[in-house]
Amino acid sequence: MSNPSTALTDTRLLLGVSGGIAAYKSAELVRQARAAGAQVRVVMTAAAEHFVGAATFQALSGQPVRSSLWDPAAEAAMGHIELARWASQVLVAPASADLLARYAQGMGNDLLTTVLLATAAPVALAPAMNQQMWAHPATSANVARLRERGVAIWGPGVGDQACGESGAGRMLEASELVEALIAAKVGDQLRGLRIVVSAGPTFEDLDPVRFIGNRSSGRMGFAIAEQAALMGAEVVLVAGPTSLPTPARVERVNVRSAEQMLRAVLDQIDRADVYVGAAAVADYRPVAPRPSKIKKAAEVMELKLVRNPDILATLADRARRPFLVGFAAETDDVLHYARGKLEAKRLDLIAANRVGLPGCGFDSADNELTLLWPDGELALPRASKAELARRLLLHVSERIRSRQG
Ligand code: C5P
């Protein structure tokens, strides 16, 4: 993770490491979880110490590593029950077949299983084992029993294994586990809200083979839809032409032109609490698209274009309007133009960004946004689109809740 992030600020992560070759990935997990703002303490099983040394986790977490119940000095500093109470989230990664079995049985025969029994924090396990061991009915029964008790099972992934076999049993990568931690934390911040997001470009047809389009990739809008769903909202994504995959638990409606996008949004809007207009809607469309391919003849060709409807402004005119969020992508004088749009379109919030900077904006993974609303503004420094989406949505949910309250 290249950017400092705040997604896991306030998370006190107790990371359990049990015996498995995947333990080397947990070192990177500690680093990434801390980079996202978490405090991390590591508890290792005796078997884990055969794979990675405690000194590695100690250096990366900046905290003493615990592995034994029977260390009087460590118990005096922070006893196992205090450790269990300290955690706001427990994650065991890797979780070996043996650890799953002991936890499913309710055993407390080492420090990690004792902490698992004593904690009231949510527990997640990231299994890692040979694919035959994962497929064994005993392991399946243990996993089913743990799930019934509310333990989250993250993974395992499918692929090549250290033992030379291939199949299900690989521990998820550090970055995937950090995303899962973030998702677990934000899981209910937007519960009860229905959010409609428009994303991507629109294509305005000239004839059956040509169109006027733009360079929007749709990534910002897709990131907003994905994060809104992770944060518990019901999400409808009205997507212009893009090949991006549909995020999990998001209902997608595909459209092509601005007029189709307006119709699809209007179909959804009566039930929506929030509309996020992240689409780069074409301002103009050909007056009369030709039914057959335009032939090359004249040296100079003139195209007659007509203004497209403004989707956000249309929504702002309605008697019952959801919380309206717009985007303003500008090349210069960004905040000035963005505030103008906020006022002209009577929006509740506008997210402004400068386009044309290297590594930011269209088609890139990172972005930089400033949120502006009628009586305030907030600069969100450069970060991944997922992180910016979360921060934007959090701001929206706070504004909606403060209106309601
Ligand atoms: O294109 P413009 O800079 O005006 O876009 C600002 C905001 O208005 C964006 O959120 C965009 O999705 C929205 N918009 C719209 N309908 C249009 C043009 C823009 O909803 N026809």
Side-chain angles (χ1 to χ4, degrees):
M1 218 180 274
S2 56
N3 299 297
S5 147
T6 52
L8 292 178
T9 309
D10 306 328
T11 294
R12 294 179 308 282
L13 175 65
L14 192 126
L15 176 66
V17 181
S18 66
I21 185 62
Y24 78 92
K25 295 194 205 173
S26 307
E28 176 62 14
L29 171 61
V30 173
R31 201 187 65 74
Q32 290 194 17
R34 287 195 72 199
Q39 296 174 56
V40 183
R41 285 175 183 267
V42 177
V43 169
M44 301 176 78
T45 64
E49 293 189 291
H50 290 286
F51 294 93
V52 182
T56 302
F57 287 116
Q58 184 141 332
L60 290 169
S61 67
Q63 296 291 335
V65 171
R66 296 280 317 265
S67 54
S68 166
L69 259 175
W70 311 113
D71 177 343
E75 277 292 304
M78 189 185 257
H80 60 284
I81 300 295
E82 282 167 278
L83 202 53
R85 285 201 193 119
W86 170 85
S88 66
Q89 170 76 54
V90 178
L91 168 61
V92 183
S96 63
D98 174 68
L99 187 281
L100 293 176
R102 289 190 291 129
Y103 187 26
Q105 290 298 319
M107 288 167 79
N109 54 354
D110 63 3
L111 178 64
L112 180 54
T113 46
T114 308
V115 167
L116 285 170
L117 291 181
T119 192
V123 175
L125 307 177
M129 64 197 73
N130 163 275
Q131 48 100 13
Q132 293 275 10
M133 292 170 78
W134 175 250
H136 195 285
T139 305
S140 304
N142 289 332
V143 168
R145 180 183 273 193
L146 290 167
R147 277 209 170 104
E148 268 166 34
R149 291 186 196 144
V151 173
I153 309 290
W154 293 343
V158 178
D160 292 339
Q161 300 202 301
C163 51
E165 295 177 18
S166 178
R170 277 174 67 90
M171 188 170 95
L172 296 186
E173 300 304 322
S175 58
E176 295 173 302
L177 291 172
V178 168
E179 280 303 318
L181 286 167
I182 294 169
K185 183 180 167 197
V186 298
D188 57 359
Q189 283 163 336
L190 298 182
R191 196 150 320 278
L193 293 182
R194 194 171 162 88
I195 301 189
V196 176
V197 182
S198 69
T202 64
F203 286 177
E204 310 297 328
D205 288 336
L206 288 161
D207 68 18
V209 292
R210 306 185 183 94
F211 58 85
I212 299 174
N214 62 66
R215 289 177 54 195
S216 166
S217 65
R219 284 207 226 167
M220 191 67 230
F222 273 62
I224 289 171
E226 177 170 37
Q227 296 304 317
L230 286 170
M231 292 164 84
E234 270 181 67
V235 185
V236 179
L237 174 61
V238 178
T242 154
S243 53
L244 293 176
T246 309
R249 287 183 285 121
V250 166
E251 183 187 332
R252 176 174 184 166
V253 181
N254 285 327
V255 297
R256 183 169 171 84
S257 65
E259 287 185 301
Q260 287 174 3
M261 185 171 275
L262 174 65
R263 252 176 276 134
V265 169
L266 286 174
D267 277 351
Q268 299 292 337
I269 213 64
D270 283 334
R271 290 180 300 146
D273 301 291
V274 181
Y275 172 73
V276 182
V281 185
D283 292 322
Y284 292 90
R285 66 177 184 279
V287 171
R290 302 287 177 80
S292 53
K293 189 177 167 194
I294 302 167
K295 292 286 174 226
K296 152 173 73 194
E299 263 327 297
V300 176
M301 177 176 171
E302 282 187 6
L303 281 177
K304 206 161 194 183
L305 304 175
V306 57
R307 273 289 282 273
N308 264 328
D310 191 299
I311 300 172
L312 268 169
T314 308
L315 300 182
D317 278 341
R318 289 162 62 92
R320 185 207 166 277
R321 46 175 273 170
F323 189 95
L324 293 177
V325 183
F327 272 77
E330 304 287 347
T331 49
D332 37 35
D333 224 352
V334 180
L335 298 186
H336 173 73
Y337 284 115
R339 192 158 287 283
K341 276 180 196 169
L342 176 80
E343 285 161 13
K345 301 195 191 200
R346 286 178 294 123
L347 307 181
D348 298 290
L349 183 73
I350 196 155
N353 65 329
R354 182 188 267 274
V355 287
L357 289 179
C360 250
F362 285 152
D363 233 349
S364 70
D366 281 0
N367 209 352
E368 219 173 86
L369 292 178
T370 301
L371 306 183
L372 299 114
W373 58 99
D375 51 5
E377 70 179 63
L378 174 68
L380 305 179
R382 185 169 177 159
S384 69
K385 288 182 175 174
E387 167 91 9
L388 289 170
R390 275 193 292 275
R391 299 203 48 196
L392 180 145
L393 289 163
L394 220 46
H395 177 89
V396 170
S397 94
E398 279 162 18
R399 294 267 305 281
I400 291 180
R401 311 248 186 251
S402 71
R403 264 187 191 179
Q404 289 168 344

